[in-house]
Amino acid sequence: MKERMSTSAILDAMDEETKYLTPIFGSEASDAQMPRTRMNDEPVEPRIVYEMVKEHLSIEGNATQNLATFCQTYMEPMAARIMSEVMAKNAIDKDEYPMTADLENRCVAMIGDLWHANPDEEPMGTSTVGSSEACMLGGLGMLFRWKKLAKDAGIDIYTEQRPNLVISAGYQVCWEKFCRYWDIEMRLVPLEKDHLSLNMDTVMDYVDDHTIGIVAILGITYTGKFDDVQKLDELVGAYNKEHSNLPIRIHVDGASGSLVAPFVDPDLVWDFQLENVWSINASGHKYGLVYPGIGWVVWRSKEALPEDLIFWVSYLGGEEATMAINFSRSASQIVGQYYVLMRNGFKGFREIHLRTLDVARYLAAELEEMGIFEMYEDASNIPIVCWGLKDDADVEWSLYDLSDRLRMSGWLVPAYPMPANLQDVVVQRVVVRQDFSMQLAIKLADDLKKGIDVLSKARIVAGDVQEAAKAGFNHGGRSSVDRGDEVQTKTKPAWK
Ligand SMILES: Cc1ncc(COP(=O)(O)O)c(C=O)c1O
């Protein structure tokens, strides 16, 4: 009998030349492990690298079905096009790219205007990589301001008592980072089951002469709820009357809400209309409708932004203030932000957000009708739906199980415990974004019903299994459990 050649021997014997004619998924590269810990020695054809990397990424779930993230998962083709065309420009090179710097300044001015900044007070602001950087800057503004005022008031700022920041326990992790990096005591106002935002009855009990400021959250990450900034401003105003040498100011962490409220609820008073709101941040990449990588922080006036935070870079033969922490980054996101502001205008933003809210409210109504869920948020402010199981829901499964069931249809709808004081309450949250159409919401509601049906008929294995399946949620301030998703390694050698 004729001896058969092994597949690899046949491939080795193939003429090198023919390899350029080989289809991508017949290429040598498609039959070897992609580089893992050491670079490949030889270059690889771009069309093959493109396809291989794309394939590698394709199995991790698609962005549209990721209902955990607040970040934009859709931009229209012209927006993506202009963003990719300016990718090579470094936004910090203001002298070299003055027109990009000009677009950034226009964005700051337009966003400040949305938040009722008064041009006569000379508001200042900057783009950032996201709200984390923007909150860090807002926090630093408060810290530097407090240090100066405290010194002037004769307070020894170098005593054992650290400066403190007052915020609700529903804070996002960036505030914990800020406090840890700058050695600030984080004074947490607890959330309670029937009180899921900053408690106005107790918040001022946390304030003393070492308080650098209070953070109000417009869109608590866990639930989407808004703190009552207007009421807080009233309380702070009364406090400041008694403490005129060391007044307290408010930073509004509007990561998600500050670019929704001005459009859908223009009568809600939460911004620079309030005397004590001195700085506000937003994530341009959340409801600012830009792909991830952009945030904004604006101070109400020149006075509100301590000089120490400002650095000067050369610009058109003169100087331009810069206060971002990060230095080099692509101009794409800034240009993308300008594009969507101009493209949509006020009416366009309003329409997109109102429609997104409508879809979220449909989903909330569907969930409520199922009868077993307690609704913690039904998209009353921003398009976020958050629910838990009712105490008397007669089910043997948990929301972690339901989250797993939804994953089988591609939906990422995380289940997670609420923050300190409420850890026993497990909730699930959907962040509805512009690319989540009614069609998809109907499909999700359907899959939820099917999932519940399957779980209700299943025999549930309780115990550690559920514990192991727990996952955090994106941007929630708590890191996800590492699921140990090691990519399977092939025994074949990596590319030569
Ligand atoms: C209230 C709040 N603050 C800050 C952040 C951090 O935002 P970013 O992801 O833009 O850094 C988030 C993110 O979810 C948030 O919800």
Side-chain angles (χ1 to χ4, degrees):
M1 210 171 109
K2 200 174 160 202
E3 204 177 307
R4 277 178 75 180
M5 264 175 99
S6 72
T7 334
S8 49
I10 299 172
L11 287 167
D12 285 346
M14 273 174 67
D15 185 350
E16 277 290 311
E17 289 301 305
T18 65
K19 286 186 182 165
Y20 289 95
L21 303 175
T22 311
I24 290 169
F25 290 109
S27 66
E28 189 182 352
S30 74
D31 194 23
Q33 187 187 353
M34 284 164 65
R36 218 176 142 77
T37 54
R38 251 190 100 190
M39 282 176 75
N40 37 301
D41 288 338
E42 303 296 332
V44 181
E45 255 195 86
R47 66 182 184 117
I48 294 180
V49 180
Y50 173 82
E51 218 45 75
M52 301 308 303
V53 174
K54 190 170 152 187
E55 185 199 52
H56 183 76
L57 296 173
S58 69
I59 59 169
E60 68 186 358
N62 73 70
T64 305
Q65 281 187 293
N66 177 4
L67 303 179
T69 183
F70 281 88
C71 285
Q72 273 309 300
T73 45
Y74 171 82
M75 288 185 81
E76 62 191 16
M78 294 304 273
R81 180 165 154 191
I82 186 90
M83 287 172 76
S84 68
E85 284 170 5
V86 298
M87 209 179 272
K89 295 188 183 187
N90 186 350
I92 199 70
D93 290 340
K94 297 185 193 279
D95 208 20
E96 291 81 351
Y97 303 124
M99 304 317 280
T100 303
D102 176 53
L103 290 191
E104 178 180 6
N105 290 340
R106 289 175 191 219
C107 289
V108 169
M110 282 191 270
I111 291 170
D113 179 58
L114 277 177
W115 298 340
H116 298 97
N118 178 355
D120 295 341
E121 288 187 47
E122 296 184 59
M124 297 189 74
T126 180
S127 74
T128 58
V129 171
S131 276
S132 301
E133 185 188 354
C135 291
M136 189 71 69
L137 287 165
L140 282 172
M142 290 194 273
L143 177 63
F144 290 173
R145 205 166 50 234
W146 172 80
K147 274 189 179 168
K148 183 166 183 319
L149 288 177
K151 263 192 206 159
D152 293 350
I155 290 171
D156 183 0
I157 61 170
Y158 300 107
T159 54
E160 292 222 325
Q161 190 183 349
R162 292 186 295 160
N164 64 71
L165 176 81
V166 177
I167 189 168
S168 94
Y171 67 88
Q172 207 267 357
V173 71
C174 65
W175 289 107
E176 201 173 329
K177 290 185 184 176
F178 166 71
C179 288
R180 199 178 302 170
Y181 295 165
W182 299 96
D183 199 18
I184 289 164
E185 180 197 340
M186 207 174 184
R187 290 203 174 157
L188 297 182
V189 185
L191 296 182
E192 279 139 44
K193 203 164 180 194
D194 51 359
H195 212 124
L196 290 172
S197 55
L198 189 66
N199 191 336
M200 296 300 149
D201 296 334
T202 60
V203 57
M204 296 313 286
D205 300 344
Y206 292 78
V207 171
D208 61 22
D209 62 8
H210 275 62
T211 301
I212 63 168
I214 304 177
V215 174
I217 307 174
L218 213 67
I220 292 182
T221 324
Y222 290 84
T223 57
K225 285 201 182 300
F226 281 10
D227 287 341
D228 184 349
V229 196
Q230 192 167 20
K231 177 73 192 166
L232 181 65
D233 180 71
E234 233 177 84
L235 297 174
V236 166
Y239 175 94
N240 288 347
K241 277 206 181 104
E242 306 288 314
H243 301 82
S244 54
N245 60 342
L246 214 61
I248 295 285
R249 306 296 181 195
I250 301 167
H251 173 89
V252 179
D253 178 356
S256 49
S258 67
L259 288 177
V260 177
F263 300 107
V264 304
D265 201 355
D267 294 334
L268 185 74
V269 181
W270 62 273
D271 57 14
F272 294 130
Q273 291 171 89
L274 301 171
E275 191 183 349
N276 297 296
V277 171
W278 273 33
S279 46
I280 302 173
N281 69 275
S283 296
H285 54 215
K286 293 187 174 121
Y287 290 105
L289 307 181
V290 183
Y291 281 142
I294 185 103
W296 301 94
V297 55
V298 178
W299 288 268
R300 68 177 299 133
S301 61
K302 218 174 162 181
E303 185 199 347
L305 173 64
E307 274 284 317
D308 287 349
L309 265 187
I310 306 175
F311 296 82
W312 298 94
V313 294
S314 73
Y315 174 68
L316 289 181
E319 284 195 313
E320 166 88 1
T322 155
M323 40 258 167
I325 295 173
N326 286 287
F327 197 67
S328 299
R329 68 195 168 92
S330 165
S332 295
Q333 263 62 17
I334 292 171
V335 173
Q337 183 75 79
Y338 187 83
Y339 174 99
V340 287
L341 287 171
M342 179 177 169
R343 156 81 173 105
N344 295 319
F346 187 90
K347 282 189 186 158
F349 257 92
R350 181 171 157 78
E351 190 159 353
I352 290 170
H353 288 343
L354 283 174
R355 291 200 188 283
T356 312
L357 274 170
D358 194 48
V359 172
R361 286 172 187 164
Y362 159 80
L363 192 63
E366 282 287 305
L367 281 153
E368 191 152 22
E369 213 182 294
M370 293 178 202
I372 50 173
F373 297 124
E374 179 161 353
M375 301 307 294
Y376 289 105
E377 185 52 50
D378 56 1
S380 55
N381 293 124
I382 49 177
I384 286 180
V385 186
C386 179
W387 66 93
L389 274 168
K390 280 186 177 162
D391 288 342
D392 60 358
D394 187 18
V395 297
E396 284 184 35
W397 44 268
S398 71
L399 292 181
Y400 297 109
D401 299 316
L402 187 54
S403 178
D404 275 352
R405 284 301 314 170
L406 290 173
R407 245 174 206 261
M408 291 177 199
S409 318
W411 301 111
L412 300 178
V413 183
Y416 52 89
M418 292 282 246
N421 214 34
L422 282 174
Q423 277 123 332
D424 291 345
V425 181
V426 173
V427 292
Q428 247 183 316
R429 185 196 67 187
V430 162
V431 180
V432 178
R433 301 179 304 270
Q434 61 169 332
D435 57 329
F436 188 75
S437 62
M438 187 60 95
Q439 183 58 32
L440 286 187
I442 292 168
K443 174 79 174 90
L444 175 63
D446 249 25
D447 286 341
L448 268 160
K449 286 176 197 158
K450 279 186 203 145
I452 290 169
D453 191 43
V454 171
L455 286 170
S456 302
K457 289 177 183 152
R459 205 178 127 256
I460 305 288
V461 183
D464 287 351
V465 179
Q466 293 196 9
E467 206 35 50
K470 271 185 193 176
F473 65 101
N474 286 0
H475 306 281
R478 300 290 181 274
S479 52
S480 303
V481 172
D482 179 5
R483 295 171 157 251
D485 289 347
E486 261 290 284
V487 179
Q488 284 294 307
T489 51
K490 278 174 70 174
T491 46
K492 282 204 168 194
W495 286 342
K496 290 162 264 159

